[in-house]
Structure formats: structure tokens, C-alpha cells
Amino acid sequence: MADMTGDWEKDLVKSISSSRKVTKAKDPKKRQWEYKDSPNYRVFEFSPSRKLDRNTTYSISGTESQIIFQSSLIKALHDILGNRLGYTIDFNTWFTDFSLEFKYNPLDNTPRFIPGENTVITFWGRTREERPAFEWIEPTSNEPKDSDNQLNYIVIKFWKNRKQRNDFTIVTGTQSEVRMQLINLMTATTNTDNSKPGYSEYISNKGKPKVVLYFLEKLEDVEDGYQQIEARLSFRLSNLSEKWDNPDTQNLTLTDIEQLALRIKNEFCTPTPYKFKKGKITVSYRDKKRGMESYSYFYTKQDGIALYQKICNVAQIQYEPKFCKVTESEDVVNAYPTIPSNENVLGEQVKSERIRPVGDVHFFNSLLFLSSLTKPIPLFNPYDGLIDINSFNVNTYKQ
């Protein structure tokens, strides 16, 4: 077997010279020639990569020049596909980079970012001593021996935390598949309260019950030529499931819906509809683990904080300042002019649409959206009052 990892051209010529010789006695075109003048072909076994192909070889034949030409094409194809598909990536080097959350170059240990004086580096939310680790099961090392089984995949033992030796996972597949599985295992990890989140912690609230609160400017306050200012903020009931066949979550009941509507009434319409002033400052609150991912525009930061505190009370979760973020333009006047310039529309001068207009909006409605229903369930509004659970019929919202 010719190993093409070194000076493959020299090895190839050496292999050709020692290959067995086959004399062609018959010709498909029935051409006649003396036996001593019959064309001679050499045949030998070829492997583009002993490391990847293990004991698998391929036979090529022809004259010496043809063999060199064929093998060079095969080697080139191997290199092209290997680089594009990732088969030629050294797994040990890649895993070192992976265990450092790709923050440090594993070859020279230089950071891929500019650290500050007080920067605390974590790897997947853990210290360096607690970063991921692996051990080979099959092959027994990264350099397979001839005695290794001829598997077309690898098997490894994987630790998310190398210090917790009893907590491991068996991962198998091609090297490309294993690399993807390891990334998925780490990015799907829910970080503990004592760890810092990594680059890619993923939490999805898609399909969970959604509550939407609506706020609207009073008609008598609307300036001529402009639309009513409105605001919509929403959150998910992350711990409840509308479908009662989900063993991992608590069932959403009619009692839950009634209590939810009552909390909305107490927070946003007792004794009068709650109002806040919209403006040009963005205030957001993002706690996806508890179903909160919302933002709106406010006149002051305090307006935004006060509203999110009320929403957290409705959702029955603790408001935490670390999840609240405030963003403000350094040039508010030019970024969001209070009186925008006119526009020429169909030959007439009309007022341009206002960007982040300033004005008071009042609570006027709340709806519950369930993925299984085609219509939202009204919870509470100042005009119709609370939902009547006694007359509730789920089929009404499926039409």
C-alpha cells in the first residue's frame, strides 16, 4: 500500500517499479501483434490517505505515466473534497480549539479578541480547568493502526466538564458529524446559576402560550394628520403548556387563564387604565428562560422599568434589573425629529410619518394566543371586563 502523506510522487514511482506486471494478450479491437510487442500494464494498490482510508485501497492500472497521471488526479480530488467537507481536519487540534470555545488559537495560544484589564475568560461558561474533554474509544488514538477495525466512523467518550469524570456521553459518527454533535451538545446546555453563559446558549419559547398587552393613544389627543400612537408588549407563559400530553410542563387550565386575566386587571386597570408615555428611548427586557423578550419606546428610562415591573408581576416572575437594557441615540433630535418634514406624494405636500412619536398611551386590551387555536382568547379590557370562564367554549376559537 502506498502512503500518500509524505513525498507521494517519489513513493509512487517506487511502488510502480515494484508492482506486478500484466501482459495484455488480447485486444478488444482484435488488433494483432507479436506477443513480445504486447503492451504491458502495471497494477498497484493505492490509498489517498492511510489515516482516513485505513486498510481500504483502490487498484489502478496502466503504463507508468498513466498511473502517475491517475494517482495525481485521485490525490487532488481527495485534497479538494477533504478541505471542503472537513475530512482532512486534524480532530485533536480542532477539539483543543473547540474546548476553548474558539477563543484562543490552539497552535500558538493567542487570543482571537482583545482582552481588557479585568476580562475574566470563561470557556462554555466554565473555567479552563472545567472545559470539555474527550477520549478515543475507536480508534484507540488519532493515528489508527493496521489492527484497528475497519470502521467508517469514530467513537469517542465526551465530557462537557473534564473534572466531572462520571458525567460523560458517547458520541459517534464520521469526524464531521461528531464535530457538529459536540457543538450542539454544548450550545444546548442550560447554564447553571453559578456559570456564565457561553456564546450560543439557545432557549426557544416558540409555541408556548403568548400574552399580548395593547396600549393606545386617546382619540382626543391625536394631532391632526397623524395616526394614533400605539404600543404592544408581549410575554410567554414558559412554564405552562396548552396541550395536556406534554410530560415536561404544567398543564394550562381555565383557572390559570382566569387568574391571569385578574392579574392584568389589577396591574393595568385598577382603578383606571394604566398609561405610560412613549418616546425615543428604547427599553427592553430579555429573560428568555422565563418567557420574557420584549421592547418598546419610552419617554424616560423609568417609564420602561415601571412597565416591565408590572408585566413581571402579571407573569408571576421576579423582576431583575440585569435583564433590562436601555438604548438611547446620541443625537435624538436628528435621529427622530418631533415634527418631520413634509413629503411630496402624488404632487401634494403631506406630513411624513413620525418616527418614535411622543405621547401618552393607555391600556385598552389583552389577548391570549395559543398555537392550537385560530383566534385569540380575550382576557380583559376596560370595556368588556374579565373573561367569563363559565361560558368558555374552546371550539369558539378554533373556527
Side-chain angles (χ1 to χ4, degrees), residues 301-330:
K301 176 178 70 174
Q302 287 69 28
D303 290 337
I305 293 174
L307 180 60
Y308 286 121
Q309 287 174 336
K310 284 184 166 292
I311 293 178
C312 286
N313 290 338
V314 172
Q316 293 186 305
I317 62 176
Q318 180 68 38
Y319 172 85
E320 297 187 48
K322 67 180 180 180
F323 294 125
C324 189
K325 182 179 180 181
V326 180
T327 307
E328 184 177 4
S329 173
E330 293 186 6

Coordinates of all heavy atoms in Angstrom, one line a residue, residues 301-330:
K301 N -36.3 56.4 31.0 CA -36.0 55.0 31.4 C -36.9 54.5 32.5 O -37.2 53.3 32.5 CB -34.5 55.1 31.8 CG -34.0 53.7 32.4 CD -32.5 53.8 32.8 CE -32.4 54.7 34.0 NZ -31.0 54.6 34.6
Q302 N -37.3 55.4 33.4 CA -38.1 55.0 34.5 C -39.5 54.5 34.0 O -40.1 53.6 34.6 CB -38.3 56.2 35.5 CG -37.0 56.5 36.3 CD -35.9 57.1 35.5 OE1 -36.2 57.8 34.4 NE2 -34.7 56.9 35.9
D303 N -40.0 55.1 32.9 CA -41.3 54.7 32.4 C -41.2 53.2 32.0 O -42.1 52.4 32.2 CB -41.7 55.5 31.2 CG -42.1 56.9 31.6 OD1 -42.5 57.1 32.8 OD2 -42.0 57.8 30.8
G304 N -40.1 52.9 31.3 CA -39.9 51.5 30.8 C -39.7 50.5 32.0 O -40.3 49.4 32.0
I305 N -38.9 50.9 33.0 CA -38.7 50.0 34.1 C -40.0 49.7 34.9 O -40.3 48.6 35.2 CB -37.7 50.6 35.1 CG1 -36.3 50.6 34.4 CG2 -37.6 49.8 36.4 CD1 -35.2 51.3 35.2
A306 N -40.8 50.8 35.1 CA -42.1 50.7 35.8 C -43.0 49.7 35.0 O -43.7 48.9 35.7 CB -42.7 52.0 36.0
L307 N -43.1 49.8 33.7 CA -44.0 48.9 32.9 C -43.5 47.5 33.0 O -44.3 46.6 33.2 CB -44.0 49.4 31.5 CG -44.9 48.6 30.6 CD1 -46.4 48.6 31.1 CD2 -44.8 49.1 29.1
Y308 N -42.2 47.2 32.9 CA -41.7 45.9 32.9 C -41.9 45.2 34.3 O -42.1 44.0 34.4 CB -40.3 45.8 32.5 CG -40.1 45.9 31.0 CD1 -39.4 47.0 30.4 CD2 -40.8 45.1 30.1 CE1 -39.3 47.1 29.1 CE2 -40.7 45.2 28.7 CZ -39.9 46.3 28.2 OH -39.8 46.4 26.8
Q309 N -41.8 46.1 35.3 CA -42.1 45.5 36.7 C -43.5 45.0 36.8 O -43.8 44.0 37.4 CB -41.8 46.6 37.7 CG -40.3 46.9 37.9 CD -40.0 48.0 38.9 OE1 -40.9 48.9 39.0 NE2 -38.9 48.1 39.5
K310 N -44.5 45.8 36.2 CA -45.9 45.3 36.2 C -46.1 44.1 35.4 O -46.8 43.2 35.8 CB -46.8 46.5 35.7 CG -47.0 47.6 36.6 CD -47.9 48.6 36.1 CE -48.4 49.6 37.1 NZ -49.3 48.9 38.1
I311 N -45.4 44.0 34.2 CA -45.5 42.8 33.4 C -45.0 41.6 34.1 O -45.6 40.5 34.0 CB -44.8 43.0 32.0 CG1 -45.6 44.1 31.2 CG2 -44.8 41.7 31.2 CD1 -44.9 44.4 29.9
C312 N -43.9 41.7 34.8 CA -43.3 40.6 35.6 C -44.3 40.2 36.7 O -44.4 39.0 37.0 CB -42.0 41.0 36.2 SG -40.6 41.1 35.0
N313 N -45.0 41.1 37.3 CA -46.0 40.8 38.3 C -47.1 40.0 37.7 O -47.6 39.0 38.3 CB -46.6 42.0 38.9 CG -45.6 42.8 39.8 OD1 -44.6 42.2 40.3 ND2 -45.8 44.0 40.0
V314 N -47.5 40.3 36.5 CA -48.6 39.6 35.8 C -48.1 38.2 35.4 O -48.8 37.2 35.6 CB -49.0 40.3 34.5 CG1 -49.9 39.4 33.7 CG2 -49.7 41.6 34.8
A315 N -46.8 38.1 35.0 CA -46.2 36.8 34.6 C -45.8 36.0 35.8 O -45.4 34.8 35.7 CB -45.1 37.0 33.7
Q316 N -45.9 36.6 37.0 CA -45.5 35.9 38.3 C -44.0 35.5 38.3 O -43.7 34.4 38.6 CB -46.4 34.7 38.5 CG -47.9 35.1 38.8 CD -48.7 33.9 39.3 OE1 -48.8 32.9 38.6 NE2 -49.3 34.0 40.4
I317 N -43.2 36.4 37.8 CA -41.8 36.2 37.9 C -41.1 37.4 38.6 O -41.7 38.5 38.6 CB -41.1 36.0 36.5 CG1 -41.3 37.2 35.6 CG2 -41.7 34.7 35.8 CD1 -40.7 37.1 34.3
Q318 N -39.9 37.2 39.1 CA -39.2 38.3 39.8 C -38.5 39.2 38.8 O -37.8 38.8 37.9 CB -38.1 37.7 40.7 CG -37.3 38.7 41.5 CD -38.1 39.4 42.5 OE1 -39.0 38.9 43.1 NE2 -37.9 40.7 42.6
Y319 N -38.8 40.5 38.9 CA -38.1 41.5 38.0 C -36.7 41.6 38.4 O -36.3 41.7 39.6 CB -38.8 42.9 38.1 CG -38.0 44.0 37.4 CD1 -38.2 44.2 36.1 CD2 -37.1 44.7 38.1 CE1 -37.5 45.2 35.4 CE2 -36.4 45.7 37.5 CZ -36.6 45.9 36.1 OH -35.8 46.9 35.5
E320 N -35.7 41.5 37.5 CA -34.3 41.5 37.7 C -33.7 42.6 36.8 O -33.8 42.5 35.6 CB -33.6 40.2 37.5 CG -34.2 39.1 38.4 CD -33.4 37.8 38.3 OE1 -32.1 37.9 38.3 OE2 -34.0 36.7 38.1
P321 N -33.1 43.6 37.4 CA -32.5 44.7 36.6 C -31.5 44.3 35.6 O -31.3 44.9 34.6 CB -31.8 45.6 37.7 CG -32.6 45.3 39.0 CD -33.0 43.9 38.9
K322 N -30.8 43.1 35.8 CA -29.8 42.7 34.9 C -30.3 42.3 33.5 O -29.6 42.3 32.5 CB -29.0 41.5 35.4 CG -29.8 40.2 35.6 CD -29.0 39.1 36.1 CE -29.8 37.8 36.3 NZ -29.0 36.7 36.9
F323 N -31.7 42.1 33.4 CA -32.3 41.7 32.2 C -32.8 42.9 31.4 O -33.4 42.8 30.3 CB -33.4 40.7 32.4 CG -32.9 39.3 32.9 CD1 -33.5 38.8 34.1 CD2 -32.0 38.6 32.2 CE1 -33.0 37.6 34.5 CE2 -31.5 37.4 32.7 CZ -32.1 36.9 33.8
C324 N -32.8 44.1 32.1 CA -33.3 45.3 31.5 C -32.2 46.1 30.8 O -31.2 46.3 31.4 CB -34.0 46.2 32.5 SG -34.9 47.6 31.9
K325 N -32.4 46.5 29.6 CA -31.4 47.2 28.8 C -32.0 48.5 28.3 O -33.1 48.5 27.7 CB -30.9 46.4 27.7 CG -29.8 47.0 26.9 CD -29.3 46.1 25.8 CE -28.2 46.8 24.9 NZ -27.7 45.9 23.9
V326 N -31.2 49.6 28.4 CA -31.7 50.9 27.9 C -30.8 51.4 26.8 O -29.5 51.4 26.9 CB -31.7 52.0 29.0 CG1 -32.2 53.3 28.5 CG2 -32.6 51.5 30.2
T327 N -31.4 51.8 25.6 CA -30.6 52.3 24.5 C -31.1 53.7 24.1 O -32.3 53.8 23.9 CB -30.7 51.3 23.3 OG1 -30.3 50.0 23.7 CG2 -29.8 51.8 22.2
E328 N -30.2 54.6 23.9 CA -30.6 56.0 23.5 C -29.6 56.5 22.5 O -28.4 56.3 22.6 CB -30.6 56.8 24.8 CG -31.1 58.3 24.5 CD -31.2 59.1 25.8 OE1 -30.7 58.5 26.9 OE2 -31.6 60.2 25.8
S329 N -30.2 57.2 21.5 CA -29.3 57.8 20.4 C -28.6 59.0 21.0 O -29.2 59.8 21.9 CB -30.2 58.2 19.2 OG -29.5 59.0 18.3
E330 N -27.4 59.3 20.5 CA -26.7 60.5 21.0 C -27.1 61.7 20.3 O -26.8 62.8 20.8 CB -25.2 60.2 20.7 CG -24.5 59.1 21.5 CD -23.0 59.1 21.3 OE1 -22.5 60.0 20.6 OE2 -22.4 58.1 21.9

